[in-house]
Amino acid sequence: MGVGEVVAEFGGVYVSSLLSTWLMTIVCFAGGLALGVLVTIMRVSPIKPLRVVGDFYVQVFRNIPTISLLVIFVYALPYLGLLLDYRTCLIVCIILVVASFASENFMSGINAIGVGQIEAARSVGLSFSQIVRLIVIPQALRTTVLPMTNLLIATLLTTAIGSQVPLTPPELTGMVNYVNARSVAGISAFVVSAICYAGTALLLGFLGNKLDKKVRIVR
Amino acid sequence: MAAKSTAIIQMHHVDKHYGELHVLQDINLDVQKGEVVVLIGPSGSGKSTLCRTINRLETIDSGEILFEGKPLPQEGKELAAYRAEIGMVFQSFNLFAHKTILDNVTLGPREVLGTPKEEAEKEAMDLLARVGVAEQAHKVPAQLSGGQQQRVAIARSLAMHPKAMLFDEPTSALDPEMINEVLEVMVGLAKEGMTMVVVTHEMNFARRVSNRVVFMADGQIMEEGAPDEFFDHPKTERAKDFLDSIRGH
Amino acid sequence: MSAHTTSMRDALYEAPGPKTRRRTVIGTVVSLVLLAVAIFFIIRQFYITDQFNERYWSFLLEWSTWRFLLEGLWGTIQVAIMSGIISMALGLLLMLGRIGQNKIVSGICHVLTDLFRSLPSLLLIYFFFLVIPKYGIRMPSFWMLTIPISLAASGVLAEVFRAGVNAVPKGQTEAAMSIGLTHGKIVRKIILPQALRIVIPSLVSQLVVVVKDTTVAYVVSFPDLMQNTRVLISNYDALVSMYFVVAIIYILINYAINQLSIYLAHRSGNKIVTRTSENPV
């Protein structure tokens, strides 16, 4: 079976698979950023326990293999009285992991600002909340465009672990399995999924680079 | 405590430690309104720390600092409002990297004083013209030379209409050919009667415009006096040695 | 001149006044209470679902359990190390091809680098597990796992190497050219030795990604740590305890690798380049 035939026979499933992969990537990335902001706030706060918990969170979730986390969510949590459907498990796991990397990116974005600018802002008479709103957040966001783009691409690739749980429609990696179970597609199924991944990653990389050029802070 | 004094800044028995290090030891210093006080001394003498305690970028362990007769606010809105009244110029300029030169100068007036945008920008352009960088208004800090950035930093402080200004080694990070353009701006300010506390190694500047030179070493004020008096007839051995070392004898 | 150095973390909040200090104390107490409550509820949940029952944990005191886990860990280590070696060699080749003078080779290497970087390792594993056998090629499970992991890692490593080459000062090349070295010699004798030293911490930290990738070994039935865990679970019917214990083992391994990489970076003064940090897209 050639690529053309695979597309002809499974085209509809592929489109919904691609869309569902994209949607999952966006949801996981957005959720990861939001949680990452929260973790970062904890890590820079003057309240010691929050700092410790934030640091601990990052060490746990940047070091745990996502598959290991997924099996805990899918198989272990039901024993502890928490039963989530497969897609929810998957999304929550990826969000937890993405948040730890997002927080690391935010932290290095904040570190890049430098103590001097904060002191200057203080000297002008800006309040703490003004300093955060006018100096810290804008600079941290603008310096993290490239790392965050890479994290978005990494999120896309991480959704491939969705192939380890039953999903309808399957995401792009699960599609190889799906097509193979139903026909003798061989290499073609792989090629179509690969093109979808590489195309998406290329597009995201291109957009991220463009955005970075626009907002990059020259130091 | 001090009876009716005209001093705008008063420091009484100020002490500060960094761990074991006693960086400020029983500092007593009054700065009169319109006075230009130069702090000099070897590195590690505590002169920068002293300068930074005046707008509470550094806290003190004991003693007191008064501004216009009132103790320094410790935190919150009061502290921010107090700092808005005191300009500060840093060694490394510390311009806001993500904002244009114009926005660097208007940020304080707009956010702290509530000045309308147009008015703030008009005044900022006047200030930038005054320090000679008006043509750079729409560039970002990294596109300017060090001397230009420092002049913008001065304009940023002036935009807040400060009652006094602190200069923490304003020319130490500059290439030699840029030092004078910054000093000229400072000389202008002094002539207009700005109250200034200046940490610097620029002896000519100290001689030309300061009313008083304060020499520090090891966290203590060793001696102070009129500039000519101090430079020509230093009283302490430490001051003599220091002056010799920077004159290259 | 201040004798202490402040990190941005601390600089964000200035030295507190009396009110702020009081608020910080209250915040500390409240957060400690909340933390204690959260931990209490987690422990309670384990307790009421009977997960603290001795039968779920006692086998962890037996040597045979740990011997079996260590065997799995040995499998993980073998795959990780072999993948590390292959991906480094391949990554280096891709990078050298890309910066080389042959336009066609350079183009191919560029495309391959970007391709490997933008495919999930799992997809590549499925390629070797599901697709290749259809063409009559039989492979041991070790290689069905190791090759795809290596390919996925090589794309990122090629970029890490390239970052290392870019970090070698331009003056080095100019100086080498001025004494008459050829392009090949400049790369081999001057640039590569320096670039490699620069990227050592990044290479080490990339091992974390490889270790994580090995956890899908069960797909090809290779006996790694995760696969052996599954076997133990079915033997002892102790799913919750086992999965948590193994997750902790993975976290500790990767934490150790990361700390080593940070230590190396600190010692040499080089930055760590990873996919999600400095890496150019």
Side-chain angles (χ1 to χ4, degrees):
Chain A
M1 218 173 166
V3 171
E5 292 162 79
V6 168
V7 171
E9 191 172 340
F10 297 100
V13 195
Y14 262 114
V15 170
S16 53
S17 165
L18 177 64
L19 291 179
S20 118
T21 303
W22 280 353
L23 183 65
M24 203 146 62
T25 305
I26 292 168
V27 170
C28 292
F29 185 65
L33 283 191
L35 184 58
V37 167
L38 193 74
V39 172
T40 309
I41 291 172
M42 290 171 70
R43 293 174 78 193
V44 298
S45 93
I47 296 170
K48 195 77 188 282
L50 293 185
R51 267 190 194 208
V52 172
V53 170
D55 285 349
F56 184 74
Y57 174 92
V58 169
Q59 287 308 337
V60 167
F61 288 98
R62 74 193 283 241
N63 285 320
I64 194 168
T66 323
I67 285 287
S68 181
L69 191 59
L70 185 65
V71 293
I72 287 178
F73 266 77
V74 171
Y75 300 113
L77 290 193
Y79 282 95
L80 293 167
L82 185 63
L83 182 63
L84 302 169
D85 66 73
Y86 289 123
R87 197 173 286 271
T88 310
C89 284
L90 186 62
I91 288 173
V92 171
C93 285
I94 299 177
I95 285 177
L96 288 172
V97 171
V98 169
S100 70
F101 287 96
S103 174
E104 287 292 74
N105 287 346
F106 282 132
M107 286 298 270
S108 55
I110 291 173
N111 279 328
I113 298 169
V115 178
Q117 285 192 52
I118 304 299
E119 288 186 342
R122 234 169 246 161
S123 303
V124 172
L126 295 179
S127 68
F128 172 73
S129 61
Q130 283 174 320
I131 293 174
V132 170
R133 183 165 51 86
L134 299 168
I135 310 293
V136 177
I137 292 179
Q139 291 203 40
L141 286 182
R142 288 169 62 170
T143 44
T144 50
V145 169
L146 268 195
M148 287 303 183
T149 304
N150 288 319
L151 183 58
L152 175 56
I153 294 173
T155 308
L156 166 75
L157 303 191
T158 307
T159 61
I161 64 163
S163 59
Q164 303 308 300
V165 293
L167 289 181
T168 335
E171 46 61 67
L172 285 170
T173 299
M175 272 304 281
V176 178
N177 219 341
Y178 179 89
V179 173
N180 257 285
R182 285 164 182 78
S183 71
V184 283
I187 200 166
S188 307
F190 166 81
V191 169
V192 177
S193 286
I195 290 173
C196 290
Y197 277 117
T200 308
L202 211 65
L203 180 70
L204 293 176
F206 173 76
L207 293 177
N209 261 330
K210 238 179 138 159
L211 181 62
D212 176 63
K213 286 222 175 70
K214 219 162 134 186
V215 304
R216 165 166 290 197
I217 299 166
V218 202
R219 287 182 202 276
Chain B
M1 245 346 88
K4 203 77 177 153
S5 161
T6 56
I8 185 166
I9 299 167
Q10 302 172 53
M11 304 178 81
H12 302 305
H13 305 293
V14 168
D15 270 276
K16 181 178 178 67
H17 297 78
Y18 286 135
E20 294 285 287
L21 213 61
H22 201 166
V23 283
L24 294 180
Q25 303 183 25
D26 192 30
I27 299 293
N28 291 284
L29 181 69
D30 282 6
V31 179
Q32 307 299 318
K33 198 161 172 41
E35 196 182 15
V36 176
V37 173
V38 165
L39 298 177
I40 67 169
S43 69
S45 60
K47 53 193 194 304
S48 274
T49 307
L50 191 157
C51 182
R52 288 161 55 87
T53 58
I54 297 173
N55 68 350
R56 203 188 175 276
L57 286 180
E58 303 279 352
T59 53
I60 58 175
D61 299 342
S62 61
E64 64 171 353
I65 302 176
L66 306 178
F67 185 76
E68 293 185 323
K70 290 190 291 271
L72 247 62
Q74 290 299 297
E75 59 200 327
K77 284 200 183 72
E78 297 77 19
L79 179 58
Y82 163 72
R83 281 172 174 158
E85 294 185 335
I86 306 215
M88 174 111 192
V89 176
F90 299 86
Q91 178 175 349
S92 46
F93 333 132
N94 296 344
L95 295 182
F96 306 127
H98 64 310
K99 296 208 170 278
T100 63
I101 298 308
L102 184 62
D103 290 344
N104 261 278
V105 180
T106 58
L107 183 74
R110 291 187 58 194
E111 296 291 336
V112 178
L113 307 177
T115 315
K117 183 167 190 256
E118 273 179 27
E119 198 185 322
E121 289 190 347
K122 191 178 162 301
E123 199 193 341
M125 286 310 295
D126 289 346
L127 285 170
L128 288 174
R130 177 170 157 199
V131 298
V133 286
E135 322 79 70
Q136 325 287 345
H138 298 286
K139 293 185 178 168
V140 292
Q143 293 170 296
L144 270 58
S145 73
Q148 290 173 325
Q149 289 194 49
Q150 195 60 300
R151 285 183 279 153
V152 174
I154 295 174
R156 175 173 68 180
S157 290
L158 288 176
M160 299 299 292
H161 306 290
K163 291 178 177 167
M165 286 186 74
L166 310 172
F167 292 82
D168 185 5
E169 305 208 25
T171 56
S172 301
L174 296 176
D175 292 333
E177 73 270 21
M178 293 173 185
I179 290 176
N180 275 329
E181 62 189 50
V182 171
L183 288 180
E184 280 316 311
V185 173
M186 291 168 62
V187 170
L189 280 176
K191 288 204 174 123
E192 285 164 27
M194 175 64 76
T195 309
M196 294 162 66
V197 174
V198 185
V199 177
T200 186
H201 294 291
E202 295 298 327
M203 298 307 141
N204 285 331
F205 172 84
R207 237 185 227 273
R208 238 171 96 198
V209 302
S210 78
N211 304 99
R212 189 154 42 118
V213 174
V214 174
F215 175 73
M216 287 184 73
D218 302 330
Q220 289 169 307
I221 294 181
M222 306 300 277
E223 65 172 283
E224 54 185 302
D228 287 335
E229 172 82 11
F230 172 78
F231 287 114
D232 298 336
H233 310 288
K235 291 189 280 274
T236 58
E237 277 305 309
R238 291 297 298 266
K240 276 183 201 139
D241 292 346
F242 175 73
L243 289 173
D244 284 348
S245 72
I246 57 168
R247 282 169 185 150
H249 291 287
Chain C
M1 204 121 309
S2 43
H4 64 166
T5 49
T6 350
S7 71
M8 263 309 285
R9 224 180 197 207
D10 301 308
L12 220 46
Y13 296 84
E14 56 184 316
K19 260 190 234 155
T20 318
R21 214 170 295 137
R22 220 172 311 133
R23 254 180 253 147
T24 310
V25 170
I26 294 171
T28 306
V29 172
V30 170
S31 61
L32 278 176
V33 169
L34 288 179
L35 193 61
V37 169
I39 292 172
F40 168 78
F41 273 103
I42 292 170
I43 291 176
R44 194 182 83 122
Q45 203 61 23
F46 270 79
Y47 185 77
I48 58 182
T49 52
D50 197 32
Q51 285 301 325
F52 283 132
N53 192 316
E54 200 206 327
R55 74 189 171 94
Y56 294 130
W57 299 89
S58 60
F59 68 98
L60 281 168
L61 294 173
E62 284 164 34
W63 168 238
S64 61
T65 306
W66 287 98
R67 204 183 54 201
F68 193 60
L69 281 179
L70 283 174
E71 278 169 23
L73 185 60
W74 177 233
T76 296
I77 290 171
Q78 281 177 307
V79 176
I81 288 181
M82 187 52 90
S83 300
I85 292 170
I86 296 176
S87 60
M88 261 198 272
L90 195 55
L92 194 57
L93 280 179
L94 285 173
M95 185 278 288
L96 287 175
R98 185 167 172 187
I99 66 165
Q101 285 169 322
N102 186 323
K103 284 255 155 55
I104 298 166
V105 174
S106 166
I108 292 173
C109 289
H110 189 167
V111 170
L112 283 180
T113 304
D114 281 354
L115 184 69
F116 291 152
R117 251 156 51 80
S118 54
L119 296 183
S121 53
L122 246 174
L123 182 74
L124 292 167
I125 288 171
Y126 273 131
F127 177 75
F128 282 85
F129 176 61
L130 293 176
V131 178
I132 295 249
K134 295 219 165 175
Y135 296 88
I137 302 165
R138 289 297 319 155
M139 251 186 200
S141 60
F142 177 81
W143 293 109
M144 280 199 284
L145 188 62
T146 303
I147 295 176
I149 291 176
S150 308
L151 289 180
S154 70
V156 179
L157 284 184
E159 290 296 270
V160 169
F161 283 124
R162 204 162 61 97
V165 166
N166 288 338
V168 176
K170 270 252 167 2
Q172 297 284 317
T173 314
E174 285 161 9
M177 270 161 38
S178 74
I179 58 170
L181 292 183
T182 59
H183 176 81
K185 273 217 170 119
I186 293 174
V187 171
R188 268 205 321 277
K189 305 255 174 191
I190 310 292
I191 297 181
L192 266 192
Q194 299 186 57
L196 291 183
R197 214 164 304 143
I198 291 172
V199 298
I200 286 173
S202 311
L203 296 180
V204 172
S205 88
Q206 201 57 33
L207 254 186
V208 171
V209 179
V210 171
V211 169
K212 286 182 182 176
D213 278 353
T214 62
T215 50
V216 290
Y218 62 82
V219 170
V220 296
S221 312
F222 178 79
D224 78 329
L225 180 56
M226 190 60 106
Q227 169 70 1
N228 281 12
T229 304
R230 293 176 159 228
V231 174
L232 282 176
I233 286 171
S234 56
N235 285 355
Y236 292 98
D237 189 28
L239 186 143
V240 176
S241 52
M242 251 350 273
Y243 273 145
F244 274 99
V245 165
V246 165
I248 290 169
I249 294 175
Y250 275 118
I251 290 169
L252 291 178
I253 293 171
N254 287 337
Y255 178 78
I257 297 173
N258 267 326
Q259 290 306 109
L260 173 66
S261 138
I262 291 168
Y263 166 76
L264 291 172
H266 194 74
R267 212 184 52 173
S268 62
N270 293 315
K271 274 192 185 168
I272 299 171
V273 183
T274 65
R275 168 190 273 288
T276 52
S277 66
E278 310 284 328
N279 218 16
V281 181

